[in-house]
Structures are given as C-alpha cells and as structure tokens.
Amino acid sequence: MPLPPAPTKPADRLPPKAFVATARSAARPAQKSEHFEPAKAPSARPAAEKVVVKEAPKRATAALLDKSTREQTPMVEPVTAPVMVQVETRPSTARSRKPVRTGPTKLFVLDTNVLLHDPMSLFRFEEHDIYLPMIVLEELDGHKKGMTEVARNARQTSRTLDALAGAPGADITAGFQLSSTGNRDARGKLLFQTQPLDYALPTSLPQGKADNQILGVVEALRHHYAPREVVLVSKDINMRVKARALGLATDDYQNDKTLEDGDLLYAGSLALPTDFWATHGQTVESWQQGQHTFYKINGPVVPSLMINQFVYFESPGEPSLYARVTEIRGTTAVIKTLRDFNHLKNAVWGVTTRNREQNFAMNLLMDPEVDFVTLTGTAGTGKTLMALAAGLTQVLDDRRYTEIIVTRATVSVGEDIGFLPGTEEEKMGPWMGALDDNLEVLGKTDTSAGEWGRAATNELIRSRIKIKSMNFMRGRTFMNKYVIIDEAQNLTPKQMKTLITRAGPGTKIICMGNLAQIDTPYLTEGSSGLTFAVDRFKGWPHGGHITLARGERSRLADFASEVL
C-alpha cells in the first residue's frame, strides 16, 4: 500500500475531510480480509500471568462487523483507541508452595531453644497453630544481650513478635494471624499464655525450672484442647525424653535440616548403566572440538542428569568413558570428555591425580567457567592438596587470579588453649597446620631447582597466600581471588551464605570439608552449611561438586577411617 502524502499544512488548520480520509485508509485492511472471524473469548491463562484489560469505548465494536455488513453500509468508522491489554508476568510459585492440607490442625508449643536457633521458625508450621508459654518470653528476654548469634536471634524473635502484635486487627486473646506480616505460607495463629494454667507434674520434677514449667503448660493444653493434638517442639534432647516419659507428644525442629539422611547428599558423579551403549548408542551424536569430544545423548538416563555432573562408564572389555554434563535441553543432554590429570604431562604444580574422583575434582578446580566448587570426603582424600595445587598454578603460572585467600572455622577439637598472641595471620597460624603441611609437599615437587631455588619459590608462594579470619568477613568483597574455605562442615548455613556472598568479579570459591568430622556442637550432617551449599548449588552451570571416595594419604589413615 503506498504511503499517504506528507501534510502540507499545520494540523490545526486541516479541514475535516482530511481526518475522514485518514480513517478510511485505516479501515481498508479490514475490508480486504475475506475470512474475518469475530474475536474469541480469551482462554484460561496460567496462574503465573495476571491480565489487566482496560475497557475501550463501545465504538470499538464496529471493527467486528463482517464483510457483508461493511459492503451494504459504506460508513466510515471513526478512529477509536485500540483495546489495551497489559500483561504482567510473575514468577510461578505453584511449584514452591506445598499443597494446602485439609486434615485436622495441630497445636505446636515451641521451646525457647527453637526460637534461638531459628527466629523464622514461627512461620515454618504451615496451617498449624503455635503456642508460646510465658516462661519462653521470659527466657528470650534473658538471652537478648550480647553480640553472639544467640543474642541476635533473640532480638530478631522479639522484633517479629512485636510486628505481629502491631498488625491491624491483632487481638492477643484470640491469637495473632501469622500471615499478617506477609508470610503467606503460615496460615495458622500464634497464641500466648495469657492466664495461669492448672497442671500437675510428678514431685520428682522441680517446679521452678523453666523446662518443667513448659512441660506443665503442654500437659494443661493437652487436656484443654482435647482431642486436638498438642506437640512440644524442642531442640533439647533431654527435654524431649522427659516429655515422652510423661506421655506427651514431642518432636525435634526439622526445618533447619537440608537432608534427613546424609546418604541422600548429591555426590556429583553418576555411573552409567552397563547397557548404556546398547540403549543409547543408536542415537548418539559426537563431534570434536579442540582436545575434547562432545556426545549428544537422549534416552532414559537424561532425566537423572544435572549440569556439571560427572558421568563415567567402566566395563571390562569395553573402552571407558569419563565426561561431564555441559548442557541439558528437554530430553537431550550434551556431555564433554575430561582432561586427564592422571598423566604426568597434565600435572598441576607437580601433582597428578590418583583416582577417578580426584580427576573429576581437578577438572572442576582448573575450569575458569566454574566459580564455585565443593569437595567432600573422608580424611586423606586430597582435598586441600588439590585445591592448593590448582590455586598456585592459576595464580603464579596462568595469572588468572591475583592471590589465594585461605580461611576456616576456628572450632577446636578439644578444649581451647586460650587467647593467641600476634596479628590476624599469626592468630590464625595454629589453625592452618594443614595448609603448612600441604605447602611443604608442594614445595618439594620441583626437584630440578636447588635448595636456593626452592627457598625462593617458597617465599613467592607465601607472598601470594593470605590467611584471613572469618570473624572479619562481613562487608568485604574479593575481586579476582582464589578463596579456599577449609573445614566448611563446621559452618552454619548463615555463615556459609556470608562467605560465599563475598565473591566479586573473577573470584573462585572452593569449600572443602568432611561431614563425618563435625566439631560444632549444634550442627549435624543434615544441618551443616556445607550440606546446605551442596544441595542448593547442584545443577548450577557455574558450580560443581564431587565427593571424594578413596583416601590417598596412607594405608594407616585409610584403615583408621574405616574401622575407627
């Protein structure tokens, strides 16, 4: 269609016929259409989309006339504003939210240690109600002073209770709606002890102790709300034992646990079935790119794969395959063969890997596209040695990072020996015995240099390694650094988040630990920060994990790990 002529007069001086011609030219495309169907009602949209339709003038319905009506009445349609449809896409929360249950709700009585452990525990009980005895509020008040984690959690809990009490329409006698502050997953009420309760406990339990008073409150509530189930939630094992001895329902606070069973932790590697080539070989596509071979596979094994997961195929009489998943699209996955660090020509700072899992770990440590690596395994599997060797190579040889930063949780195995003198690095020195031992091994790998050469190399290595304390990490940003977090199994999820979020552009973080050697008294394998990080980062394209299975320290250490 030719373009309309350019206007030769100002718009305010044009005659009315000019506007009519414009309207007629706008209506021509609709007249050329031979099959014009009226607009259908919009179909049901998913919950993730919110459609807001602004009402147009009624004259817009003239655009829905069919061809015959237009030919019989050659009227010029006035120009009307189009129907505006504004679509707001919101992330779908249907997967993250749990289905609403319709069964009978319970009444959970929270012990003080639950609130001190997790200030957000008030909102973790879904549709059930929560009851706080008066003695719990008294204990919270006693723990709020100080700069410790417990004091911070006590203050946070008090602020949360104040926000619930200040919500519009809040009535302490009827209970506060837990969803009034924006936590929609909590659909129950928060009840307080507003009057004395009648209960009778055995005479062997001292009446003045706080734990026994809470047990008495649970006993009174069980009779008052019968047949409704009343459950005591406590992190104190002895208190749960006493509650069971009195015939009261009790349970541990489970929301802080990432996994119920440590055996369910993501291992980072997967053995391909023995019939892999028989079931997938017909549809495999392969191509060469540099030193790596890529395989494009589809079949029943693809749904169980994750990005950066290692797969291996070992069968007698057939060639072995060691690869890493680089791409997953629907039912198709692309895997890439690995660099063999078992061979001397690929040695990293004079260190070669000795088993399959160590080779997997070294591929992650030497890959510049992987920003976060977690290594777990028993004592003597080579976690610290490989992380240091990869860091020295990428700092001194490849110049990929500027320096190595090493930190660890300062948790003693036995009793503390008291304050340590010196600067920050000197205070951290006794905790870094593992670092010194591995640096001594790495310093002896270069056998061609003489004694003076090795001494100069050791000085250069020491100048590029900084030892930092975790206590002063808040607010820092590491740029182009190679960060090693040793003994990460002793960190809480909050501490792990604090350390990982220190990473700036070009920084790589390696978290190492042995989940069987947790020294923090309030952490388990399921609630450790290392378990938390492994579970949350699995499948991320720039993160990787591997569980080292075989110890390579010595036959004595391997035997001790198995039998002790």
Side-chain angles (χ1 to χ4, degrees):
M1 184 180 70
L3 296 174
T8 57
K9 298 181 180 180
D12 58 348
R13 300 180 183 177
L14 290 177
K17 293 182 179 180
F19 293 96
V20 173
T22 305
R24 183 175 296 147
S25 62
R28 283 175 184 171
Q31 293 178 355
K32 290 183 180 181
S33 176
E34 297 181 359
H35 303 284
F36 187 85
E37 298 179 0
K40 298 181 181 179
S43 58
R45 296 178 180 267
E49 297 184 359
K50 178 183 177 183
V51 182
V52 182
V53 182
K54 297 183 179 180
E55 184 179 359
K58 294 182 179 180
R59 292 193 300 269
T61 55
L64 301 179
L65 297 176
D66 58 2
K67 180 180 177 182
S68 60
T69 307
R70 293 175 185 268
E71 292 177 352
Q72 292 175 3
T73 53
M75 295 178 60
V76 178
E77 301 170 356
V79 179
T80 59
V83 178
M84 299 178 65
V85 179
Q86 181 182 0
V87 179
E88 299 178 2
T89 58
R90 295 181 178 177
S92 176
T93 57
R95 293 182 179 178
S96 60
R97 291 186 179 179
K98 297 180 180 179
V100 179
R101 300 177 183 176
T102 57
T105 60
K106 302 178 183 179
L107 181 64
F108 288 102
V109 182
L110 299 192
D111 193 4
T112 313
N113 49 45
V114 176
L115 299 173
L116 296 178
H117 179 76
D118 182 9
M120 300 302 292
S121 59
L122 293 170
F123 309 103
R124 309 296 192 201
F125 290 88
E126 300 178 355
E127 74 274 13
H128 305 288
D129 296 337
I130 296 175
Y131 190 95
L132 292 184
M134 192 60 65
I135 189 63
V136 170
L137 301 178
E138 188 69 24
E139 286 192 311
L140 279 177
D141 187 63
H143 286 90
K144 67 181 182 182
K145 296 180 181 179
M147 297 300 295
T148 61
E149 184 83 11
V150 171
R152 276 193 292 268
N153 291 343
R155 292 192 292 269
Q156 179 61 39
T157 303
S158 300
R159 285 191 287 267
T160 302
L161 296 177
D162 184 61
L164 290 171
D171 184 7
I172 194 170
T173 57
F176 300 146
Q177 290 291 338
L178 290 169
S179 58
S180 59
T181 56
N183 296 275
R184 297 181 179 179
D185 290 337
R187 302 182 296 277
K189 290 183 178 181
L190 174 62
L191 306 172
F192 288 95
Q193 181 185 351
T194 56
Q195 57 187 359
L197 297 175
D198 248 349
Y199 57 86
L201 290 178
T203 56
S204 57
L205 294 178
Q207 301 299 320
K209 193 174 181 181
D211 288 359
N212 298 336
Q213 293 184 40
I214 296 175
L215 292 174
V217 169
V218 177
E219 174 69 21
L221 293 176
R222 186 181 67 164
H223 292 290
H224 184 269
Y225 286 98
R228 189 181 187 186
E229 187 175 1
V230 180
V231 182
L232 170 65
V233 181
S234 176
K235 298 290 293 180
D236 188 350
I237 299 177
N238 291 334
M239 188 171 182
R240 296 202 302 268
V241 171
K242 288 194 292 185
R244 291 189 180 98
L246 295 174
L248 303 176
T250 182
D251 200 357
D252 189 9
Y253 181 65
Q254 304 283 350
N255 195 266
D256 61 329
K257 295 183 179 179
T258 306
L259 295 175
E260 289 293 334
D261 188 358
D263 295 336
L264 301 177
L265 185 65
Y266 172 63
S269 61
L270 177 69
L272 296 176
T274 55
D275 60 343
F276 173 74
W277 293 116
T279 55
H280 298 76
Q282 301 295 331
T283 58
V284 169
E285 302 177 18
S286 64
W287 65 92
Q288 191 82 15
Q289 186 173 340
Q291 299 178 350
H292 302 281
T293 304
F294 290 81
Y295 295 93
K296 186 176 182 180
I297 61 175
N298 52 28
V301 76
V302 173
S304 61
L305 299 179
M306 291 187 179
I307 298 293
N308 281 343
Q309 185 178 18
F310 293 93
V311 294
Y312 59 93
F313 176 81
E314 294 176 341
S315 180
E318 297 188 29
S320 300
L321 172 67
Y322 303 98
R324 187 173 70 182
V325 180
T326 59
E327 183 181 345
I328 297 178
R329 291 188 179 181
T331 59
T332 304
V334 177
I335 60 177
K336 180 180 74 170
T337 56
L338 305 177
R339 187 178 178 186
D340 185 15
F341 288 99
N342 292 329
H343 201 279
L344 276 175
K345 68 176 182 180
N346 294 326
V348 178
W349 204 262
V351 174
T352 57
T353 57
R354 296 186 179 182
N355 56 54
R356 179 181 61 225
E357 285 77 17
Q358 285 188 353
N359 190 33
F360 294 164
M362 194 62 81
N363 274 273
L364 289 175
L365 294 171
M366 295 297 294
D367 190 348
E369 293 299 320
V370 178
D371 300 332
F372 183 72
V373 180
T374 50
L375 303 177
T376 60
T378 58
T381 49
K383 302 182 293 293
T384 308
L385 184 67
M386 287 192 298
L388 271 177
L392 291 173
T393 299
Q394 295 174 90
V395 169
L396 297 175
D397 293 347
D398 302 340
R399 305 294 178 90
R400 190 174 295 156
Y401 308 104
T402 56
E403 64 181 3
I404 299 175
I405 293 179
V406 184
T407 184
R408 59 164 287 173
T410 53
V411 181
S412 302
V413 177
E415 293 186 12
D416 203 346
I417 62 174
F419 291 100
L420 300 172
T423 61
E424 179 187 357
E425 291 209 7
E426 291 173 347
K427 288 178 183 293
M428 292 295 295
W431 300 102
M432 291 299 169
L435 175 67
D436 297 333
D437 296 340
N438 286 280
L439 286 179
E440 184 180 350
V441 174
L442 294 174
K444 296 179 180 179
T445 54
D446 189 6
T447 56
S448 60
E451 186 176 348
W452 288 100
R454 284 197 296 270
T457 302
N458 289 335
E459 284 296 320
L460 179 61
I461 290 175
R462 292 286 182 178
S463 66
R464 293 300 181 92
I465 297 179
K466 297 295 191 316
I467 301 172
K468 301 297 181 183
S469 173
M470 286 176 41
N471 301 340
F472 311 109
M473 288 294 184
R474 180 71 72 185
R476 297 197 61 180
T477 301
F478 298 133
M479 302 182 65
N480 297 318
K481 300 290 193 299
Y482 187 89
V483 183
I484 298 176
I485 304 174
D486 202 3
E487 303 295 335
Q489 77 275 5
N490 289 322
L491 301 177
T492 65
K494 184 177 179 181
Q495 291 172 326
M496 182 66 73
K497 178 181 178 181
T498 301
L499 291 177
I500 297 176
T501 52
R502 301 306 99 206
T507 291
K508 184 167 189 165
I509 294 183
I510 292 89
C511 291
M512 307 176 299
N514 179 11
L515 290 172
Q517 294 181 347
I518 297 179
D519 301 317
T520 306
Y522 302 111
L523 286 181
T524 62
E525 292 184 13
S527 60
S528 170
L530 182 58
T531 304
F532 180 76
V534 171
D535 188 67
R536 291 296 189 270
F537 278 90
K538 64 181 180 183
W540 186 48
H542 302 287
H545 167 73
I546 195 68
T547 299
L548 301 170
R550 292 170 51 188
E552 301 290 348
R553 178 172 290 167
S554 68
R555 58 191 178 190
L556 173 58
D558 296 343
F559 184 71
S561 298
E562 295 176 3
V563 301
L564 296 182

